Amino acid sequence: MTADLFEAIPDVRPLREVMADGAVLLRGFAQDFENELIPALREIIAQAPFRRMFTPGGHQMSVAMTNCGSAGWVTDHSGYRYDSIDPDSGKPWPAMPPAFRELAAQAAVAGSFANFAPDACLINRYVPGARMSLHQDRDEQDFAAPIVSVSLGLPAVFMFGGPKRADKPRRYRLEHGDVVVWGGPSRLFFHGVAPLADGEHVSMGRQRINLTFRKAQ
Ligand code: SIN
Ligand code: FE2
């Protein structure tokens, strides 16, 4: 009886939620791509394993990162930048798989941004407790292109603020398959991720993986 009662509760979260002018949350948008995304992700990680980078201030990030595409985001003592070479291997970052490109372009269209052709995909891995403090994505040369962010694995609380650091962020629960697109008037809005709660995701285990697609160069 109890199970039936729970099943009768409808999921009232809208599939498409406008977060700000130029920003939209597309729930479940990546689900149709999952069968291609996960194996492609495994191959990337085998070539360019996750690593916890250091900020210019000398702090080690709690989020582990890697990249695919012709440019990859890196941080070290000298600053933040995009680099075509993985500093750990000395080789170019793995190529961006077609399924990644396709998902990013289709999500951008759903967010009203046509012809999005990302050249960089930053891959973030959060284990329980990992977080990302409020920041702007401003290391890209082209702010006309949006950011497309794909969430996989454990749910997270995404904080989305405004153009000023002091703007109070709204909190959005991002689940496996959810995609956020922001650009245009909200391209430089502050955003971050609250410390990841512990849990076990059915297919991804005890972690959250986020893909952010950018036009970096
Ligand atoms: C980022 O801002 O680069 C990551 C956002 C996220 O993990 O959802
Ligand atoms: Fe970001």
Side-chain angles (χ1 to χ4, degrees):
M1 276 314 282
T2 322
D4 286 351
L5 273 176
F6 278 112
E7 272 158 27
I9 298 170
D11 186 354
V12 290
R13 305 189 320 146
L15 276 178
R16 186 180 201 285
E17 187 174 343
V18 174
M19 300 162 70
D21 194 8
V24 68
L25 165 47
L26 307 165
R27 291 202 171 85
F29 195 90
Q31 263 160 23
D32 291 349
F33 293 82
E34 188 177 345
N35 291 342
E36 291 157 278
L37 286 185
I38 310 288
L41 191 57
R42 281 215 185 87
E43 280 181 42
I44 292 164
I45 294 160
Q47 291 174 59
F50 284 114
R51 76 291 305 262
R52 286 176 56 209
M53 300 186 201
F54 286 86
T55 65
H59 295 287
Q60 190 171 24
M61 297 184 76
S62 58
V63 177
M65 299 176 164
T66 186
N67 291 276
C68 68
S70 58
W73 187 85
V74 290
T75 170
D76 59 19
H77 64 275
S78 63
Y80 309 123
R81 65 185 176 281
Y82 282 94
D83 201 317
S84 59
I85 300 295
D86 173 354
D88 278 15
S89 68
K91 292 193 277 204
W93 296 103
M96 196 182 297
F100 277 40
R101 257 176 229 290
E102 194 53 36
L103 166 57
Q106 286 189 26
V109 168
S112 308
F113 298 96
N115 306 315
F116 180 49
D119 55 5
C121 174
L122 172 62
I123 305 170
N124 294 313
R125 176 176 189 257
Y126 299 73
V127 293
R131 59 191 287 272
M132 193 173 286
S133 51
L134 280 181
H135 66 277
Q136 295 170 294
D137 291 357
R138 53 179 319 142
D139 301 320
E140 300 73 30
Q141 277 171 22
D142 182 3
F143 294 148
I147 302 284
V148 172
S149 158
V150 177
S151 291
L152 299 169
L154 286 177
V157 174
F158 183 60
M159 299 174 294
F160 196 72
K164 296 194 291 290
R165 185 176 290 279
D167 293 330
K168 190 171 168 15
R170 290 221 186 102
R171 295 162 75 86
Y172 298 87
R173 181 183 161 93
L174 298 185
E175 294 183 5
H176 182 75
D178 290 351
V179 178
V180 182
V181 180
W182 66 96
S186 49
R187 174 62 181 74
L188 291 173
F189 277 20
F190 279 85
H191 59 278
V193 176
L196 194 77
D198 202 356
E200 184 77 24
H201 184 265
V202 277
S203 60
M204 302 291 293
R206 201 175 171 218
Q207 61 177 344
R208 168 178 187 257
I209 292 189
N210 172 263
L211 317 174
T212 46
F213 295 91
R214 301 109 186 270
K215 178 89 184 77
Q217 288 169 345

